[in-house]
Amino acid sequence: KTWKLDNDYFDYSHFLRQASKAVSTRGETSILSAKQAEIAGIIDDYVSDYCFGEYIDFSSPENYPVLNYQPVFDHIIETISRTIIKLIEGYKFEVKKGVWGKLSDVPRIMVRESKSVETERSIYPKNGYQPRGGGFERDFLQDVLNNSSDVLAFAKLDRRHKLEITYRDETGILRKYEVDFIVKTPDKMYLVETKADKDIDNPNVAVKVQAATAWCEQASLVPPEGMEQPRGWEYLILSEGLYKDNKGFSFEALLPLCRGLRDNIVAKAKSQLFLF
């Protein structure tokens, strides 16, 4: 992203005002506008002590013109923005103590006849899949979940189930994430997301992965009182390419592959954040 820089009048104070404003807002959406003064202080420390590998006094007129160079300005804004998001990462995953619910609380779900799969291991006779580009979901439903002996029950989650994971996206905006599938095995409950290869590297996917993982960690602490359910929960993500490369694998056989993909997504996202 290129940030617009007003060049009519430029000195170090002007730079700090422009930079802190750019960090605290994204387009038309304010993120941390109430903290603009504190952000200006962070930018001042970073630019003066770290950005150029040595201390530079930008109050001197001969030094601050470099900050008016657009690529330098963009780099500073992006670095500070990413770092602040990282520092408030714990705030991004707002996991609250929950209670167990039942799929049967939603006795019926509406699906399109032409975009659904007959299922034997679900309380719903048919489970739907996306009307556009849903071939991957369809294959996962009928070839893996429906045919794996290690799967006791599953369902394609519907909005009426109200299993929503609250998180903040890469810009800090509060969102709700609805995972694709819930799967029950003898030992554990799983939330499973199927994802097209083209979307795997989307920064927001990494945030969702971390939010869902945190949700499962907290859900595992809630005992299923009065229910015959495994207590542990785990979040998995399966890409279309990974599925096709291992077609014919059971759900249990796919577990380590899904875990590896999940962990790689998180590790890659964290390595892209520049901390000072």
Side-chain angles (χ1 to χ4, degrees):
K1 179 177 175 64
T2 298
W3 304 91
K4 184 178 180 181
L5 195 62
D6 184 357
N7 294 314
D8 292 341
Y9 174 78
F10 189 88
D11 62 10
Y12 190 51
S13 296
H14 180 78
F15 162 78
L16 290 176
R17 287 194 299 271
Q18 292 287 92
S20 59
K21 181 179 179 181
V23 170
S24 63
T25 60
R26 289 278 190 174
E28 300 298 323
T29 305
S30 296
I31 300 174
L32 297 168
S33 56
K35 300 293 184 180
Q36 189 168 338
E38 290 88 341
I39 292 172
I42 293 172
I43 294 172
D44 183 23
D45 289 342
Y46 171 67
V47 169
S48 299
D49 296 328
Y50 299 97
C51 186
F52 297 94
E54 60 180 300
Y55 173 75
I56 299 177
D57 181 7
F58 282 107
S59 63
S60 298
E62 65 268 21
N63 290 334
Y64 61 67
V66 68
L67 301 174
N68 199 27
Y69 182 47
Q70 192 72 55
V72 173
F73 186 83
D74 291 346
H75 169 74
I76 293 168
I77 300 311
E78 193 63 29
T79 298
I80 297 297
S81 296
R82 285 179 175 272
T83 302
I84 289 176
I85 292 297
K86 176 63 178 178
L87 291 175
I88 63 173
E89 191 171 70
Y91 182 52
K92 290 164 71 176
F93 314 135
E94 299 179 344
V95 180
K96 300 178 181 179
K97 185 176 180 180
V99 295
W100 280 78
K102 298 179 179 179
L103 285 176
S104 57
D105 291 339
V106 181
R108 297 176 59 191
I109 56 175
M110 305 299 292
V111 298
R112 292 185 182 181
E113 183 74 22
S114 61
K115 298 295 181 181
S116 62
V117 172
E118 291 187 3
T119 51
E120 300 174 358
R121 302 176 189 270
S122 175
I123 65 169
Y124 306 114
K126 292 187 177 182
N127 277 247
Y129 53 88
Q130 290 182 4
R132 290 187 178 182
F136 176 26
E137 284 189 354
R138 178 199 61 214
D139 293 346
F140 182 65
L141 274 166
Q142 63 186 12
D143 296 338
V144 178
L145 297 181
N146 216 31
N147 290 330
S148 295
S149 59
D150 46 296
V151 173
L152 299 181
F154 70 89
K156 176 73 165 66
L157 289 170
D158 184 90
R159 286 190 174 183
R160 294 174 61 199
H161 291 124
K162 297 182 179 180
L163 200 164
E164 298 174 335
I165 297 173
T166 303
Y167 73 101
R168 292 183 182 274
D169 66 17
E170 74 277 8
T171 67
I173 305 301
L174 191 66
R175 308 284 187 188
K176 290 184 178 180
Y177 171 32
E178 297 174 348
V179 186
D180 290 334
F181 298 95
I182 185 170
V183 181
K184 178 183 177 181
T185 69
D187 303 319
K188 190 177 286 187
M189 300 294 298
Y190 293 93
L191 296 181
V192 183
E193 179 76 9
T194 52
K195 188 66 64 177
D197 293 335
K198 64 181 178 63
D199 297 326
I200 285 293
D201 292 329
N202 187 312
N204 207 38
V205 170
V207 178
K208 288 181 177 180
V209 168
Q210 293 174 83
T213 300
W215 187 96
C216 287
E217 290 173 353
Q218 292 299 311
S220 298
L221 302 177
V222 182
E225 297 177 358
M227 300 182 185
E228 294 184 4
Q229 295 280 357
R231 179 167 175 168
W233 288 78
E234 184 175 359
Y235 174 80
L236 302 171
I237 185 167
L238 177 64
S239 68
E240 188 168 8
L242 188 62
Y243 170 74
K244 288 181 176 178
D245 289 344
N246 299 279
K247 200 161 187 177
F249 276 30
S250 67
F251 182 74
E252 185 176 22
L254 287 171
L255 289 180
L257 302 178
C258 294
R259 288 170 179 146
L261 177 60
R262 175 197 64 201
D263 295 345
N264 284 338
I265 290 172
V266 174
K268 184 177 180 181
K270 289 184 176 180
S271 70
Q272 290 175 345
L273 292 170
F274 182 86
L275 300 180
F276 60 88

